[in-house]
Amino acid sequence: MDRKMKLFYVTALLLLFLHLQLLFCITARPLEVRKLDNTAQKTMAMLHSGPSHGGKGHKYETQHAPIPRQLKQSVSSPGVHNGDCSAIVLIGRTKTRVNVPINFNMKTYYDGTELVVLSQEDSQQHFRIWCGPETVVGYATFICTHLPKITHQQTPFPTPTFSSHFFTTLPFVFQPFEEQKLEQKMGSLEEERTTVGWAARDPSGILSPYTYNLRNTGPDDVYIKVHYCGICHSDLHQIKNDLGMSNYPMVPGHEVVGEVLEVGSNVGRFRVGEIVGVGLLVGCCKNCRPCKSDIEQYCSKKIWSYNDVYIDGKPTQGGFAETMIVEQKFVVKIPEGLAPEQAAPLLCAGVTVYSPLSHFGLKERGLRGGILGLGGVGHMGVKIAKALGHHVTVISSSDKKKREALEHVGADQYLVSSDATAMQEAADSLDYIIDTVPVGHPLEPYLSLLKLDGKLILMGVINTPLQFVSPMVMLGRKSITGSFIGSVKETEEMLEFWKEKGLSSMIEVVNMDYVNKALERLEKNDVRYRFVVDVKGSKFEQ
């Protein structure tokens, strides 16, 4: 081959290389979608951004966010001009359709995954998926209509666990494709199950049958037939809007025990027919410090099992219902041999006590503990503390529960807080006090009972300020702290502890048609010590 011919081939290859570089490079900067409020974070948001990427959308705003060079991987597609775009997106189990101009970006949450669709100032459009750490991604499908053709692209994703963020860009493939066929392939967007629960419609808190939709079982979901559900004092706060944050209709219940009816394709921990439990949470971001530390109950983006908005933008509903669908991360196995009705209160009340004892290093034998308030959480506190080998004092405002505290629940001592002499004699005697009282009350009398470095651990949900004088804390280096339920990991640990020690809950089982009366009695503290609804044995009629 002569020199001119070699030069020709080299030049041609160079031009081809430059042409490919032009096609497969991105010059636009990515956008970061910044959360503006809690509701928007949990729902689909769309932004109509112009060429400058400075547009604003409903409850979100955009801003430039550079991505480390080594984490970028990009492919661009020429020939897609501005126009109408209809996108059907499936990330894991989250499915939605949007109809917006082609210059748009969209964000959805799925296990920490952020789907961001970006547009460029020129005719090239770039579609990127940003996978957060420890995220498993499904696949995304887009249909963009541009006369006279339909642009379709579908890309399967691997399912590794990422140790760091990475960027990738999805290429478009030009080919005729009918939207109807795509919907058939992905399943109808309208396909949903229905179930019946008992819901509050207003702050009266009266529950009645209510039919609503459930999403289909996604890859990471567990479909559960509810057998039992405990009634917690916080259910009262929610259905009566005591905290000013209630949304109706609301199906309460967050101490759920039931049977697995179906599992998603990615679920390996649970099998059909197993008895499982679900507590207060059904979602979290999985990327923040609490989530990575397995204390997801402190995640700022946690999703409550009811009276909240799920990642698909629909309200969450609780366990006073025939069935539930819950992501496997928030489902726990109920140990064999542990009666399901006994297990239900452990999923909130039990772990609420166990978690702070574990976290604050209060599991060693020989400690002296106080339980303030002998209700659903309080009686759990006595049983768990006694099983740990603690000397337990029940503290109450009267002597009405003295006999049951000592003879039935198993406390070592009973202290009436209105008895000044007894309180003075008990001063500086306790290593900790678990305060379960759910209404406003003075703290100073109980701070005086603590030893040096003693801890007053608040657990009751109180919507009024609490007061104390600082010397009560300073002069004994005492701590006033709080604790909130427990993590999934702590719940599993607590359930095994409960079974190993042979403990039992003191419960009153009722049917769903008695639930309003049970809530009325709970408000009057007329229960020993926890109501559990026999959901499986109840009639659900709309």
Side-chain angles (χ1 to χ4, degrees):
M1 184 180 297
D2 60 24
R3 187 174 179 181
K4 289 184 179 181
M5 187 61 69
K6 289 182 179 179
L7 182 60
F8 171 80
Y9 281 120
V10 169
T11 303
L13 288 173
L14 180 59
L15 289 173
L16 178 61
F17 175 77
L18 291 174
H19 181 67
L20 290 174
Q21 285 289 94
L22 179 63
L23 293 179
F24 291 92
C25 290
I26 288 180
T27 58
R29 290 186 294 173
L31 298 179
E32 176 183 305
V33 180
R34 184 170 62 195
K35 184 188 72 171
L36 294 186
D37 64 42
N38 193 45
T39 301
Q41 174 260 318
K42 296 166 184 169
T43 58
M44 214 63 76
M46 279 162 280
L47 298 166
H48 298 262
S49 58
S52 65
H53 301 304
K56 293 187 177 181
H58 179 59
K59 297 183 179 178
Y60 284 90
E61 65 181 5
T62 62
Q63 61 181 4
H64 294 290
I67 302 302
R69 181 178 302 175
Q70 65 270 24
L71 299 181
K72 288 185 180 180
Q73 179 184 358
S74 59
V75 180
S76 63
S77 302
V80 183
H81 300 277
N82 292 349
D84 292 331
C85 179
S86 173
I88 296 179
V89 183
L90 178 66
I91 300 264
R93 61 166 172 262
T94 303
K95 188 189 299 182
T96 188
R97 176 192 284 142
V98 295
N99 290 280
V100 294
I102 204 166
N103 279 329
F104 76 103
N105 50 57
M106 174 178 59
K107 178 176 182 178
T108 181
Y109 282 83
Y110 173 69
D111 289 352
T113 302
E114 297 184 54
L115 171 64
V116 183
V117 184
L118 302 178
S119 63
Q120 217 175 335
E121 295 183 24
D122 58 16
S123 62
Q124 297 180 358
Q125 308 300 321
H126 304 281
F127 293 78
R128 298 181 178 178
I129 283 192
W130 175 14
C131 301
E134 302 180 358
T135 297
V136 177
V137 182
Y139 61 88
T141 303
F142 299 87
I143 306 175
C144 280
T145 304
H146 178 67
L147 293 176
K149 292 187 177 182
I150 294 176
T151 304
H152 164 252
Q153 184 276 333
Q154 178 172 320
T155 301
F157 287 88
T159 57
T161 296
F162 300 103
S163 59
S164 62
H165 291 88
F166 86 106
F167 252 76
T168 185
T169 301
L170 306 179
F172 266 96
V173 178
F174 288 90
Q175 62 182 33
F177 200 88
E178 296 180 9
E179 184 173 344
Q180 183 178 1
K181 292 181 180 179
L182 180 63
E183 285 202 30
Q184 291 173 354
K185 186 171 184 177
M186 297 180 66
S188 169
L189 296 175
E190 285 72 37
E191 279 184 12
E192 289 182 316
R193 292 186 174 98
T194 60
T195 192
V196 181
W198 277 53
R201 266 50 175 222
D202 54 54
S204 70
I206 303 299
L207 305 185
S208 59
Y210 167 63
T211 299
Y212 56 98
N213 293 329
L214 292 177
R215 66 180 183 273
N216 284 326
T217 308
D220 293 301
D221 286 342
V222 180
Y223 182 38
I224 301 168
K225 177 179 176 58
V226 180
H227 287 187
Y228 294 93
C229 186
I231 303 179
C232 178
H233 202 281
S234 63
D235 294 328
L236 275 174
H237 288 301
Q238 294 287 0
I239 63 176
K240 290 181 175 292
N241 197 26
D242 289 342
L243 304 177
M245 299 183 296
S246 297
N247 298 289
Y248 303 98
M250 178 200 305
V251 178
H254 58 263
E255 298 177 340
V256 184
V257 175
E259 177 186 353
V260 177
L261 296 180
E262 183 181 40
V263 297
S265 59
N266 293 338
V267 177
R269 297 177 54 225
F270 305 103
R271 294 177 298 177
V272 172
E274 287 186 322
I275 303 301
V276 297
V278 179
L280 190 55
L281 301 184
V282 294
C284 64
C285 78
K286 300 183 177 68
N287 291 323
C288 66
R289 181 181 174 187
C291 287
K292 291 180 178 180
S293 302
D294 290 328
I295 48 174
E296 63 282 343
Q297 70 270 33
Y298 298 110
C299 172
S300 63
K301 298 178 182 178
K302 57 184 168 285
I303 302 175
W304 310 106
S305 56
Y306 69 91
N307 194 33
D308 207 341
V309 179
Y310 199 60
I311 55 177
D312 58 5
K314 297 181 180 179
T316 58
Q317 302 290 8
F320 291 3
E322 291 180 318
T323 54
M324 294 180 71
I325 293 182
V326 182
E327 183 190 341
Q328 63 172 327
K329 175 178 173 58
F330 301 94
V331 180
V332 297
K333 287 185 179 180
I334 302 300
E336 291 186 14
L338 185 57
E341 67 272 22
Q342 285 282 320
L346 302 179
L347 300 172
C348 176
V351 74
T352 294
V353 174
Y354 184 87
S355 178
L357 292 176
S358 177
H359 174 72
F360 292 115
L362 300 172
K363 292 172 69 175
E364 61 181 277
R365 297 186 64 84
L367 294 178
R368 300 179 70 89
I371 306 295
L372 178 55
L374 190 61
V377 176
H379 101 281
M380 293 283 187
V382 175
K383 287 179 171 288
I384 291 174
K386 284 294 296 179
L388 289 170
H390 297 180
H391 180 281
V392 181
T393 299
V394 169
I395 309 166
S396 185
S397 58
S398 71
D399 61 0
K400 292 180 181 178
K401 298 182 180 180
K402 182 174 182 178
R403 181 178 177 182
E404 56 193 85
L406 299 176
E407 297 181 9
H408 301 299
V409 185
D412 298 292
Q413 191 174 343
Y414 191 88
L415 182 60
V416 179
S417 59
S418 58
D419 186 337
T421 302
M423 290 289 285
Q424 187 173 359
E425 290 174 353
D428 301 319
S429 65
L430 301 178
D431 294 293
Y432 65 87
I433 295 174
I434 292 178
D435 184 346
T436 71
V437 178
V439 295
H441 58 283
L443 300 184
E444 291 171 6
Y446 311 109
L447 289 169
S448 67
L449 301 176
L450 294 173
K451 297 178 182 179
L452 176 68
D453 291 326
K455 290 180 172 57
L456 177 62
I457 306 170
L458 302 177
M459 293 184 178
V461 178
I462 303 170
N463 58 2
T464 57
L466 299 177
Q467 294 182 340
F468 63 94
V469 293
S470 59
M472 293 294 296
V473 175
M474 296 165 56
L475 297 179
R477 202 164 62 188
K478 301 172 184 180
S479 301
I480 299 174
T481 186
S483 183
F484 177 64
I485 55 170
S487 66
V488 171
K489 184 176 180 181
E490 289 171 324
T491 302
E492 293 172 333
E493 185 179 308
M494 179 271 308
L495 287 170
E496 290 296 336
F497 172 84
W498 192 269
K499 179 189 174 184
E500 177 188 335
K501 297 296 183 179
L503 303 179
S504 62
S505 310
M506 299 180 71
I507 60 175
E508 182 177 338
V509 179
V510 300
N511 284 335
M512 189 61 74
D513 57 10
Y514 188 79
V515 70
N516 287 309
K517 183 64 177 179
L519 289 164
E520 181 183 327
R521 286 178 53 193
L522 176 59
E523 194 167 19
K524 298 175 182 178
N525 200 26
D526 178 23
V527 57
R528 300 294 182 269
Y529 284 94
R530 200 74 160 183
F531 282 117
V532 175
V533 180
D534 180 1
V535 178
K536 182 181 178 182
S538 298
K539 293 182 179 180
F540 285 78
E541 297 177 354
Q542 181 71 42

